[in-house]
Amino acid sequence: MLLSLSIWIPILGGLATLATGRNSHAVAGGSSDAASTRWIALIAAIAGFLVTIPLYTGFDPATAALQFVENVPWIERYKINYYLGVDGISMWFVLLNSFITVFVVVAGWVVIEKQPAQYFAAFLIMSGLINGAFAAADGMLFYVFFEAMLIPMYLIIGIWGGPNRRYAAIKFFLYTLLGSLLMLVALIYLYTVTGGSFTIADFHKVPLGKAPQLLLFVAFFLAFAVKVPMWPVHTWLPDAHVEAPTGGSVILAAITLKLGAYGFLRFILPIVPDASHLLAPFVIAISLVAIVYIGFVALIQTDMKKLVAYSSISHMGFVTLGFFLFVGGQGSALGIEGGLMQMISHGFVSAAMFLCIGVLYDRLHSRNIADYGGVVNVMPKFAALFMLFGMANAGLPGTSGFIGEFTVTLAAVKQGMFWTAACAGFALILGAAYTLWMYKRVIFGEIGNDHVRGMTDLTRREFWMLAALAGCVLGMGLYPAPFTEVMHTSVDELIKHVARSKL
């Protein structure tokens, strides 16, 4: 019941928010419709998060089996079930998504003047659909949620985005849709070889030859690599981030990218273990390209949003690297847990970075680094919080950004992959370089111009929003045990499963 509530409370809240949108435009504070829209959206987002908390408090870390299971027939003729459940791998992402949705609503509280009801409704509905994808234990149910979430994000970019929003929205939609169609073909094939089952656990058990495994790997890999995104299918992400409104960038970076990485653990590794062993060097190679090369690309950006967008691709490269650290057919539990920690941390840090850029944009209506300078002189509170998030983005010890990247690098060393670890470690230097370069030019120095001189420091709403994320970044960085202890059993079971050949 809890998982259904985490899905349907945001969706129904989104529909209720949509019902208040009688006016297509509403200036913040000037319309009763706008006020009720905001409060309904906030209540729905908070309620959607609160119902996910028992997933953690009631979770049993001693078992790798799915918990909080719901399983009822949906389309009986094809044995498609409304089958939900979470384990130590997926549980955190349901909480993370619901948590970040609250911040998206708060961030758009007074900023969104164009069709606020439709804006908040799109995010709430998308939040429910994303929770459904993370909780789905039926392959076709996963596919429905995975694809349906594209629609609200497409609308968010296309309606509330920047000048080139239509181009960015169409590019985002086509990239992700085309990759997902291959996944549909793979799911149908698995349905036939399992004797008519879409249950993901049955996919894990079915024996497969080498050729089918390789073909299934390609199909699933393209679907999820586009979503992560991995190099070289990453080009849609910077455009989407630059054109999306602040809330859209937050959800894109903090949540939707994680669905792609999650697909590697739920589908690719356990369904096609032999193909995963065989192609692991290829995945490691392109992960290192993303980590290092995209880091250099981030270093030359002049647009703050585009810089953080490229840094997201580099950070997510650590995730896929950790997942595929195979030696002698044996994966690395430390690498997988490091990848998962990186996913959670990136959810906090990337959300905070884009919210900070949104704070600046709301005041100056520019994302160009050259248009700023000396912001610390007029926004000291903001400068302090932005510094913390920048350091976390660079992987400073004591922040959440350090935990995942260090763990993945350590896992590579333990697997005997010294040069892989060296390349990954070099990316930490790059991360510090592009983050500090941006921060120095935007925050330090003399006041750059009269527009900067007229900027005001954080409002109470903005301060508490960023302070809450700062608490998450520091809390996870200083005491990661609550995040890792629920993963161990599920990750160990996955490692055992992947070590068994299906040939």
Side-chain angles (χ1 to χ4, degrees):
M1 189 64 178
L2 285 174
L3 291 174
S4 283
L5 289 174
S6 73
I7 295 169
W8 294 107
I9 285 178
I11 291 176
L12 293 176
L15 294 176
T17 303
L18 197 60
T20 67
R22 294 191 295 273
N23 297 331
S24 61
H25 293 74
V27 177
S31 163
S32 60
D33 282 350
S36 60
T37 290
R38 294 195 295 269
W39 281 108
I40 291 172
L42 182 61
I43 291 169
I46 292 174
F49 171 61
L50 291 178
V51 299
T52 65
I53 294 176
L55 296 178
Y56 177 74
T57 58
F59 190 84
D60 180 6
T63 176
L66 292 179
Q67 301 180 44
F68 307 100
V69 172
E70 302 171 38
N71 191 2
V72 294
W74 179 27
I75 305 175
E76 295 188 54
R77 180 176 179 180
Y78 299 107
K79 298 181 182 178
I80 301 174
N81 298 318
Y82 180 77
Y83 186 10
L84 305 174
V86 291
D87 60 5
I89 293 172
S90 57
M91 181 269 293
W92 268 118
F93 298 106
V94 176
L95 271 78
L96 179 65
N97 174 51
S98 300
F99 181 66
I100 295 297
T101 300
V102 177
F103 288 88
V104 169
V105 173
V106 174
W109 194 259
V110 297
V111 176
I112 301 301
E113 299 178 359
K114 176 184 178 182
Q115 299 173 297
Q118 291 83 346
Y119 177 85
F120 291 123
F123 279 107
L124 288 168
I125 292 170
M126 183 166 60
S127 177
L129 295 172
I130 292 172
N131 280 345
F134 281 124
D138 181 279
M140 189 54 64
L141 183 67
F142 173 86
Y143 181 79
V144 170
F145 283 128
F146 189 82
E147 289 295 89
M149 59 152 290
L150 297 179
I151 299 171
M153 181 54 78
Y154 171 79
L155 295 174
I156 288 165
I157 298 172
I159 296 175
W160 293 277
N164 294 321
R165 59 186 179 272
R166 291 181 178 85
Y167 166 78
I170 292 172
K171 188 174 182 181
F172 157 76
F173 192 85
L174 289 178
Y175 262 75
T176 50
L177 177 65
L178 291 174
S180 300
L181 291 176
L182 293 172
M183 178 171 64
L184 177 61
V185 174
L187 291 172
I188 293 172
Y189 174 80
L190 289 168
Y191 173 80
T192 61
V193 297
T194 55
S197 173
F198 277 111
T199 302
I200 295 175
D202 292 338
F203 294 167
H204 294 178
K205 298 172 187 175
V206 64
L208 294 166
K210 184 175 181 179
Q213 283 198 46
L214 290 172
L215 291 173
L216 287 169
F217 183 97
V218 171
F220 281 123
F221 181 82
L222 289 175
F224 298 131
V226 168
K227 201 72 145 187
V228 170
M230 299 180 71
W231 180 88
V233 289
H234 66 282
T235 57
W236 63 269
L237 185 67
D239 292 322
H241 271 308
V242 167
E243 299 303 326
T246 297
S249 293
V250 169
I251 291 295
L252 261 177
I255 306 301
T256 59
L257 308 189
K258 312 305 178 290
L259 262 177
Y262 172 75
F264 282 94
L265 298 182
R266 189 61 77 217
F267 288 88
I268 293 180
L269 292 179
I271 293 175
V272 289
D274 301 286
S276 298
H277 299 161
L278 183 64
L279 295 174
F282 165 74
V283 179
I284 290 172
I286 62 174
S287 297
L288 290 175
V289 170
I291 292 170
V292 178
Y293 166 68
I294 300 299
F296 278 113
V297 174
L299 195 57
I300 63 171
Q301 299 306 311
T302 58
D303 182 302
M304 287 185 286
K305 256 195 171 184
K306 189 168 282 191
L307 186 150
V308 177
Y310 278 113
S311 79
S312 292
I313 300 169
S314 180
H315 291 312
M316 290 301 291
F318 278 93
V319 175
T320 51
L321 174 63
F323 290 172
F324 282 86
L325 291 174
F326 289 104
V327 172
Q330 185 69 34
S332 169
L334 189 64
I336 291 177
E337 289 187 10
L340 289 169
M341 293 293 285
Q342 176 72 349
M343 289 165 69
I344 298 169
S345 168
H346 186 257
F348 294 139
V349 176
S350 63
M353 291 293 288
F354 280 114
L355 287 172
C356 285
I357 294 170
V359 166
L360 293 173
Y361 184 82
D362 291 341
R363 287 157 172 75
L364 208 60
H365 298 290
S366 173
R367 297 182 303 268
N368 291 324
I369 295 172
D371 291 338
Y372 293 87
V375 170
V376 68
N377 297 288
V378 292
M379 300 179 68
K381 294 177 184 176
F382 170 80
L385 287 167
F386 196 22
M387 168 66 82
L388 171 63
F389 299 132
M391 293 300 95
N393 197 53
L396 182 73
T399 66
S400 63
F402 174 75
I403 303 297
E405 294 183 1
F406 172 77
T407 305
V408 170
T409 305
L410 179 62
V413 172
K414 286 193 169 186
Q415 292 288 82
M417 302 178 181
F418 174 78
W419 290 111
T420 297
C423 290
F426 177 68
L428 295 175
I429 301 173
L430 281 177
Y434 58 68
T435 303
L436 292 176
W437 177 82
M438 174 185 71
Y439 188 86
K440 171 184 175 293
R441 296 189 65 191
V442 172
I443 302 297
F444 291 147
E446 299 295 324
I447 294 177
N449 52 64
D450 289 338
H451 297 295
V452 174
R453 194 183 307 277
M455 294 169 67
T456 58
D457 210 349
L458 296 171
T459 64
R460 185 180 302 176
R461 172 184 60 86
E462 292 168 335
F463 175 80
W464 288 111
M465 175 178 66
L466 294 177
L469 284 171
C472 294
V473 168
L474 287 173
M476 185 178 181
L478 295 172
Y479 187 57
F483 296 89
T484 58
E485 63 188 7
V486 298
M487 301 176 184
H488 294 320
T489 306
S490 296
V491 170
D492 288 343
E493 182 62 28
L494 176 62
I495 290 292
K496 293 175 185 175
H497 189 91
V498 176
R500 293 193 293 265
S501 174
K502 281 192 172 187
L503 296 178

